[in-house]
Short mmCIF file of all heavy atoms in Angstrom, two decimals:
data_model
loop_
_atom_site.label_atom_id
_atom_site.label_comp_id
_atom_site.label_asym_id
_atom_site.label_seq_id
_atom_site.Cartn_x
_atom_site.Cartn_y
_atom_site.Cartn_z
N HIS M 18 123.08 119.84 107.05
CA HIS M 18 121.90 120.25 106.29
C HIS M 18 120.65 119.73 107.00
O HIS M 18 120.67 118.68 107.65
CB HIS M 18 121.93 119.71 104.86
CG HIS M 18 120.94 120.38 103.96
ND1 HIS M 18 121.07 121.67 103.54
CD2 HIS M 18 119.79 119.93 103.42
CE1 HIS M 18 120.06 122.00 102.76
NE2 HIS M 18 119.27 120.94 102.67
N SER M 19 119.55 120.47 106.87
CA SER M 19 118.28 120.06 107.47
C SER M 19 117.68 118.89 106.70
O SER M 19 117.83 118.79 105.47
CB SER M 19 117.30 121.24 107.49
OG SER M 19 117.82 122.31 108.25
N LEU M 20 116.96 118.03 107.42
CA LEU M 20 116.36 116.84 106.81
C LEU M 20 114.86 116.75 107.03
O LEU M 20 114.22 115.87 106.45
CB LEU M 20 117.01 115.57 107.38
CG LEU M 20 118.50 115.35 107.08
CD1 LEU M 20 118.96 114.07 107.76
CD2 LEU M 20 118.76 115.30 105.59
N SER M 21 114.29 117.63 107.84
CA SER M 21 112.88 117.48 108.20
C SER M 21 111.97 117.58 106.99
O SER M 21 110.92 116.91 106.93
CB SER M 21 112.48 118.52 109.24
OG SER M 21 112.69 119.83 108.75
N HIS M 22 112.32 118.40 106.00
CA HIS M 22 111.46 118.51 104.82
C HIS M 22 111.48 117.22 104.01
O HIS M 22 110.48 116.87 103.37
CB HIS M 22 111.87 119.72 103.96
CG HIS M 22 113.33 119.84 103.70
ND1 HIS M 22 114.20 120.40 104.61
CD2 HIS M 22 114.09 119.46 102.64
CE1 HIS M 22 115.42 120.37 104.11
NE2 HIS M 22 115.38 119.80 102.93
N TRP M 23 112.61 116.50 104.02
CA TRP M 23 112.64 115.19 103.35
C TRP M 23 111.82 114.18 104.13
O TRP M 23 111.14 113.32 103.54
CB TRP M 23 114.07 114.72 103.20
CG TRP M 23 114.85 115.54 102.21
CD1 TRP M 23 115.77 116.52 102.50
CD2 TRP M 23 114.77 115.49 100.79
NE1 TRP M 23 116.27 117.07 101.35
CE2 TRP M 23 115.68 116.46 100.28
CE3 TRP M 23 114.03 114.72 99.90
CZ2 TRP M 23 115.84 116.67 98.91
CZ3 TRP M 23 114.21 114.92 98.53
CH2 TRP M 23 115.09 115.88 98.06
N GLY M 24 111.87 114.26 105.47
CA GLY M 24 111.01 113.40 106.27
C GLY M 24 109.54 113.69 106.02
O GLY M 24 108.70 112.78 105.99
N THR M 25 109.21 114.97 105.82
CA THR M 25 107.83 115.34 105.50
C THR M 25 107.41 114.76 104.16
O THR M 25 106.27 114.32 103.99
CB THR M 25 107.69 116.87 105.47
OG1 THR M 25 108.10 117.42 106.72
CG2 THR M 25 106.25 117.28 105.19
N LEU M 26 108.34 114.74 103.19
CA LEU M 26 108.04 114.13 101.90
C LEU M 26 107.69 112.65 102.07
O LEU M 26 106.69 112.17 101.51
CB LEU M 26 109.24 114.29 100.97
CG LEU M 26 109.14 113.57 99.62
CD1 LEU M 26 108.00 114.14 98.79
CD2 LEU M 26 110.45 113.65 98.86
N VAL M 27 108.49 111.92 102.85
CA VAL M 27 108.21 110.49 103.08
C VAL M 27 106.87 110.33 103.78
O VAL M 27 106.06 109.45 103.44
CB VAL M 27 109.34 109.87 103.92
CG1 VAL M 27 109.01 108.42 104.29
CG2 VAL M 27 110.66 109.92 103.16
N PHE M 28 106.59 111.19 104.76
CA PHE M 28 105.33 111.10 105.50
C PHE M 28 104.14 111.37 104.58
O PHE M 28 103.12 110.66 104.64
CB PHE M 28 105.35 112.10 106.65
CG PHE M 28 104.14 112.04 107.54
CD1 PHE M 28 103.74 110.85 108.11
CD2 PHE M 28 103.40 113.18 107.80
CE1 PHE M 28 102.62 110.78 108.93
CE2 PHE M 28 102.30 113.13 108.62
CZ PHE M 28 101.91 111.94 109.18
N LEU M 29 104.25 112.38 103.71
CA LEU M 29 103.16 112.67 102.79
C LEU M 29 102.95 111.53 101.79
O LEU M 29 101.81 111.21 101.42
CB LEU M 29 103.43 113.97 102.05
CG LEU M 29 103.11 115.26 102.81
CD1 LEU M 29 103.55 116.47 102.01
CD2 LEU M 29 101.63 115.35 103.13
N VAL M 30 104.04 110.91 101.36
CA VAL M 30 103.91 109.76 100.47
C VAL M 30 103.17 108.62 101.17
O VAL M 30 102.32 107.96 100.58
CB VAL M 30 105.30 109.30 99.98
CG1 VAL M 30 105.21 107.95 99.27
CG2 VAL M 30 105.89 110.32 99.03
N SER M 31 103.48 108.41 102.45
CA SER M 31 102.78 107.35 103.20
C SER M 31 101.30 107.69 103.35
O SER M 31 100.44 106.80 103.22
CB SER M 31 103.44 107.16 104.57
OG SER M 31 103.26 108.30 105.39
N LEU M 32 100.97 108.96 103.61
CA LEU M 32 99.56 109.34 103.70
C LEU M 32 98.86 109.20 102.36
O LEU M 32 97.70 108.75 102.29
CB LEU M 32 99.44 110.79 104.20
CG LEU M 32 99.98 111.10 105.60
CD1 LEU M 32 99.65 112.54 105.99
CD2 LEU M 32 99.42 110.13 106.63
N ALA M 33 99.55 109.58 101.28
CA ALA M 33 98.96 109.43 99.95
C ALA M 33 98.74 107.95 99.62
O ALA M 33 97.75 107.58 98.99
CB ALA M 33 99.85 110.08 98.90
N TYR M 34 99.67 107.10 100.07
CA TYR M 34 99.52 105.67 99.84
C TYR M 34 98.31 105.13 100.61
O TYR M 34 97.55 104.30 100.09
CB TYR M 34 100.78 104.94 100.27
CG TYR M 34 100.69 103.43 100.15
CD1 TYR M 34 100.67 102.82 98.91
CD2 TYR M 34 100.63 102.64 101.29
CE1 TYR M 34 100.57 101.45 98.79
CE2 TYR M 34 100.53 101.26 101.18
CZ TYR M 34 100.50 100.67 99.93
OH TYR M 34 100.40 99.31 99.82
N ILE M 35 98.13 105.61 101.84
CA ILE M 35 96.95 105.20 102.61
C ILE M 35 95.67 105.62 101.89
O ILE M 35 94.71 104.85 101.78
CB ILE M 35 97.00 105.82 104.03
CG1 ILE M 35 98.14 105.19 104.83
CG2 ILE M 35 95.68 105.61 104.75
CD1 ILE M 35 98.36 105.86 106.17
N MET M 36 95.65 106.86 101.40
CA MET M 36 94.47 107.35 100.70
C MET M 36 94.22 106.55 99.43
O MET M 36 93.07 106.22 99.10
CB MET M 36 94.65 108.84 100.37
CG MET M 36 93.41 109.49 99.79
SD MET M 36 93.53 111.28 99.72
CE MET M 36 94.93 111.47 98.62
N GLU M 37 95.30 106.21 98.72
CA GLU M 37 95.16 105.40 97.50
C GLU M 37 94.62 104.02 97.84
O GLU M 37 93.76 103.49 97.12
CB GLU M 37 96.52 105.29 96.81
CG GLU M 37 96.54 104.38 95.59
CD GLU M 37 95.77 104.97 94.42
OE1 GLU M 37 95.46 106.17 94.45
OE2 GLU M 37 95.48 104.21 93.48
N ARG M 38 95.10 103.42 98.93
CA ARG M 38 94.59 102.11 99.35
C ARG M 38 93.10 102.19 99.69
O ARG M 38 92.33 101.28 99.34
CB ARG M 38 95.36 101.59 100.57
CG ARG M 38 96.75 101.10 100.27
CD ARG M 38 97.36 100.39 101.47
NE ARG M 38 96.72 99.12 101.75
CZ ARG M 38 95.88 98.89 102.76
NH1 ARG M 38 95.57 99.84 103.60
NH2 ARG M 38 95.36 97.69 102.94
N ARG M 39 92.70 103.25 100.38
CA ARG M 39 91.29 103.39 100.74
C ARG M 39 90.43 103.54 99.48
O ARG M 39 89.36 102.94 99.38
CB ARG M 39 91.11 104.60 101.66
CG ARG M 39 91.65 104.37 103.08
CD ARG M 39 90.89 103.26 103.76
NE ARG M 39 91.37 102.99 105.09
CZ ARG M 39 90.80 103.47 106.21
NH1 ARG M 39 89.75 104.27 106.13
NH2 ARG M 39 91.30 103.17 107.39
N PHE M 40 90.90 104.36 98.53
CA PHE M 40 90.15 104.51 97.30
C PHE M 40 90.07 103.19 96.54
O PHE M 40 89.02 102.82 96.01
CB PHE M 40 90.81 105.57 96.41
CG PHE M 40 90.41 106.98 96.77
CD1 PHE M 40 91.38 107.95 96.96
CD2 PHE M 40 89.08 107.33 96.92
CE1 PHE M 40 91.02 109.24 97.28
CE2 PHE M 40 88.71 108.62 97.25
CZ PHE M 40 89.69 109.59 97.43
N THR M 41 91.20 102.47 96.48
CA THR M 41 91.22 101.19 95.78
C THR M 41 90.30 100.18 96.45
O THR M 41 89.56 99.44 95.78
CB THR M 41 92.66 100.64 95.73
OG1 THR M 41 93.51 101.60 95.10
CG2 THR M 41 92.71 99.33 94.96
N GLU M 42 90.34 100.16 97.79
CA GLU M 42 89.46 99.23 98.53
C GLU M 42 88.00 99.59 98.32
O GLU M 42 87.16 98.70 98.10
CB GLU M 42 89.83 99.27 100.01
CG GLU M 42 88.98 98.35 100.89
CD GLU M 42 89.17 96.88 100.57
OE1 GLU M 42 90.19 96.51 99.96
OE2 GLU M 42 88.28 96.08 100.94
N ASN M 43 87.68 100.87 98.38
CA ASN M 43 86.29 101.29 98.15
C ASN M 43 85.86 100.96 96.73
O ASN M 43 84.71 100.55 96.49
CB ASN M 43 86.15 102.78 98.42
CG ASN M 43 86.28 103.12 99.89
OD1 ASN M 43 86.10 102.26 100.75
ND2 ASN M 43 86.62 104.36 100.19
N HIS M 44 86.78 101.16 95.77
CA HIS M 44 86.46 100.82 94.39
C HIS M 44 86.24 99.32 94.23
O HIS M 44 85.32 98.89 93.50
CB HIS M 44 87.60 101.28 93.48
CG HIS M 44 87.32 101.11 92.02
ND1 HIS M 44 86.30 101.77 91.37
CD2 HIS M 44 87.92 100.31 91.08
CE1 HIS M 44 86.29 101.41 90.09
NE2 HIS M 44 87.26 100.52 89.89
N ARG M 45 87.06 98.52 94.93
CA ARG M 45 86.88 97.06 94.87
C ARG M 45 85.53 96.66 95.47
O ARG M 45 84.82 95.83 94.90
CB ARG M 45 88.03 96.37 95.61
CG ARG M 45 88.02 94.85 95.50
CD ARG M 45 89.02 94.23 96.46
NE ARG M 45 88.64 94.48 97.83
CZ ARG M 45 87.70 93.78 98.49
NH1 ARG M 45 87.06 92.78 97.87
NH2 ARG M 45 87.42 94.04 99.75
N ARG M 46 85.21 97.25 96.62
CA ARG M 46 83.92 96.93 97.25
C ARG M 46 82.76 97.36 96.37
O ARG M 46 81.74 96.66 96.30
CB ARG M 46 83.84 97.63 98.60
CG ARG M 46 84.79 97.07 99.65
CD ARG M 46 84.67 97.83 100.95
NE ARG M 46 85.58 97.31 101.97
CZ ARG M 46 85.70 97.83 103.19
NH1 ARG M 46 84.97 98.89 103.53
NH2 ARG M 46 86.54 97.29 104.05
N LEU M 47 82.93 98.49 95.70
CA LEU M 47 81.87 98.94 94.80
C LEU M 47 81.69 97.97 93.64
O LEU M 47 80.56 97.68 93.22
CB LEU M 47 82.21 100.33 94.28
CG LEU M 47 81.16 101.01 93.39
CD1 LEU M 47 79.86 101.20 94.15
CD2 LEU M 47 81.67 102.34 92.87
N LYS M 48 82.82 97.44 93.13
CA LYS M 48 82.74 96.45 92.06
C LYS M 48 82.04 95.19 92.54
O LYS M 48 81.20 94.62 91.83
CB LYS M 48 84.14 96.12 91.55
CG LYS M 48 84.70 97.12 90.56
CD LYS M 48 86.00 96.59 89.98
CE LYS M 48 86.49 97.52 88.87
NZ LYS M 48 87.77 97.01 88.27
N VAL M 49 82.42 94.73 93.76
CA VAL M 49 81.79 93.52 94.30
C VAL M 49 80.30 93.75 94.50
O VAL M 49 79.46 92.89 94.15
CB VAL M 49 82.46 93.15 95.64
CG1 VAL M 49 81.68 92.03 96.33
CG2 VAL M 49 83.90 92.72 95.41
N TYR M 50 79.94 94.91 95.03
CA TYR M 50 78.53 95.23 95.24
C TYR M 50 77.79 95.31 93.91
O TYR M 50 76.65 94.82 93.78
CB TYR M 50 78.42 96.55 95.99
CG TYR M 50 77.00 96.97 96.31
CD1 TYR M 50 76.23 96.24 97.22
CD2 TYR M 50 76.45 98.08 95.69
CE1 TYR M 50 74.93 96.62 97.50
CE2 TYR M 50 75.15 98.46 95.97
CZ TYR M 50 74.39 97.73 96.87
OH TYR M 50 73.11 98.13 97.15
N SER M 51 78.45 95.91 92.90
CA SER M 51 77.83 96.00 91.58
C SER M 51 77.64 94.62 90.97
O SER M 51 76.60 94.34 90.35
CB SER M 51 78.70 96.87 90.68
OG SER M 51 78.17 96.94 89.38
N ARG M 52 78.66 93.76 91.17
CA ARG M 52 78.54 92.40 90.64
C ARG M 52 77.41 91.65 91.33
O ARG M 52 76.65 90.90 90.69
CB ARG M 52 79.87 91.66 90.83
CG ARG M 52 79.94 90.35 90.09
CD ARG M 52 81.28 89.65 90.28
NE ARG M 52 82.38 90.48 89.86
CZ ARG M 52 83.26 91.02 90.71
NH1 ARG M 52 83.15 90.79 92.01
NH2 ARG M 52 84.23 91.77 90.26
N GLU M 53 77.27 91.83 92.64
CA GLU M 53 76.18 91.19 93.38
C GLU M 53 74.83 91.68 92.88
O GLU M 53 73.88 90.90 92.74
CB GLU M 53 76.33 91.46 94.86
CG GLU M 53 77.53 90.75 95.50
CD GLU M 53 77.68 91.10 96.97
OE1 GLU M 53 76.95 92.01 97.43
OE2 GLU M 53 78.53 90.49 97.65
N LEU M 54 74.77 93.00 92.62
CA LEU M 54 73.51 93.52 92.08
C LEU M 54 73.20 92.94 90.71
O LEU M 54 72.04 92.63 90.40
CB LEU M 54 73.59 95.06 91.99
CG LEU M 54 73.55 95.82 93.31
CD1 LEU M 54 73.67 97.32 93.05
CD2 LEU M 54 72.26 95.53 94.07
N GLU M 55 74.24 92.79 89.87
CA GLU M 55 74.03 92.20 88.56
C GLU M 55 73.55 90.75 88.68
O GLU M 55 72.65 90.32 87.94
CB GLU M 55 75.32 92.27 87.75
CG GLU M 55 75.71 93.68 87.33
CD GLU M 55 77.02 93.71 86.58
OE1 GLU M 55 77.64 92.61 86.44
OE2 GLU M 55 77.44 94.79 86.14
N ASP M 56 74.18 89.99 89.61
CA ASP M 56 73.76 88.60 89.81
C ASP M 56 72.31 88.53 90.28
O ASP M 56 71.52 87.71 89.79
CB ASP M 56 74.66 87.92 90.83
CG ASP M 56 76.08 87.75 90.32
OD1 ASP M 56 76.27 87.82 89.09
OD2 ASP M 56 77.00 87.57 91.15
N LYS M 57 71.96 89.40 91.21
CA LYS M 57 70.57 89.41 91.70
C LYS M 57 69.61 89.84 90.60
O LYS M 57 68.49 89.32 90.50
CB LYS M 57 70.46 90.33 92.90
CG LYS M 57 71.16 89.80 94.14
CD LYS M 57 70.96 90.73 95.33
CE LYS M 57 71.66 90.15 96.57
NZ LYS M 57 71.49 91.04 97.74
N SER M 58 70.07 90.78 89.77
CA SER M 58 69.22 91.21 88.66
C SER M 58 68.99 90.08 87.67
O SER M 58 67.87 89.87 87.18
CB SER M 58 69.86 92.41 87.96
OG SER M 58 69.10 92.81 86.86
N GLU M 59 70.08 89.33 87.40
CA GLU M 59 69.91 88.18 86.51
C GLU M 59 68.99 87.13 87.12
O GLU M 59 68.17 86.53 86.41
CB GLU M 59 71.28 87.57 86.22
CG GLU M 59 72.18 88.46 85.37
CD GLU M 59 73.55 87.85 85.16
OE1 GLU M 59 73.79 86.75 85.73
OE2 GLU M 59 74.38 88.45 84.44
N GLN M 60 69.11 86.90 88.43
CA GLN M 60 68.22 85.95 89.10
C GLN M 60 66.78 86.41 89.01
O GLN M 60 65.86 85.61 88.78
CB GLN M 60 68.65 85.79 90.55
CG GLN M 60 69.99 85.09 90.72
CD GLN M 60 70.42 85.03 92.17
OE1 GLN M 60 69.70 85.48 93.07
NE2 GLN M 60 71.62 84.47 92.40
N LEU M 61 66.58 87.72 89.19
CA LEU M 61 65.21 88.25 89.10
C LEU M 61 64.66 88.11 87.68
O LEU M 61 63.47 87.78 87.50
CB LEU M 61 65.21 89.73 89.52
CG LEU M 61 65.38 90.00 91.01
CD1 LEU M 61 65.49 91.50 91.27
CD2 LEU M 61 64.22 89.41 91.81
N GLU M 62 65.53 88.36 86.68
CA GLU M 62 65.08 88.21 85.31
C GLU M 62 64.71 86.75 85.02
O GLU M 62 63.71 86.46 84.36
CB GLU M 62 66.17 88.68 84.36
CG GLU M 62 66.37 90.20 84.37
CD GLU M 62 67.46 90.62 83.41
OE1 GLU M 62 68.08 89.73 82.78
OE2 GLU M 62 67.71 91.84 83.31
N GLU M 63 65.56 85.82 85.50
CA GLU M 63 65.27 84.40 85.30
C GLU M 63 63.97 84.00 85.99
O GLU M 63 63.14 83.27 85.43
CB GLU M 63 66.44 83.57 85.84
CG GLU M 63 66.25 82.05 85.66
CD GLU M 63 66.27 81.66 84.19
OE1 GLU M 63 66.85 82.41 83.37
OE2 GLU M 63 65.70 80.61 83.87
#
């Protein structure tokens, strides 16, 4: 039986995992940046 389509499934899962990691990392950086902005805003208010 052919197996290349199953290998393609594994490859697509790995690519989707990479994309998910990038989105998660960007979301984390956005949170950190937002938190920094909030801290600076509080400092400015003080």
Side-chain angles (χ1 to χ4, degrees):
H18 195 71
S19 299
L20 296 178
S21 60
H22 47 278
W23 291 102
T25 303
L26 174 64
V27 174
F28 184 54
L29 280 175
V30 169
S31 67
L32 297 186
Y34 176 71
I35 292 173
M36 187 169 62
E37 176 70 15
R38 286 190 70 254
R39 288 297 179 98
F40 277 130
T41 303
E42 180 65 20
N43 290 339
H44 185 64
R45 185 191 65 80
R46 291 179 180 178
L47 184 62
K48 279 188 174 181
V49 171
Y50 182 67
S51 177
R52 191 179 303 111
E53 291 177 353
L54 288 179
E55 290 177 357
D56 293 341
K57 290 183 179 180
S58 177
E59 291 177 358
Q60 292 176 2
L61 287 175
E62 289 180 359
E63 181 67 24

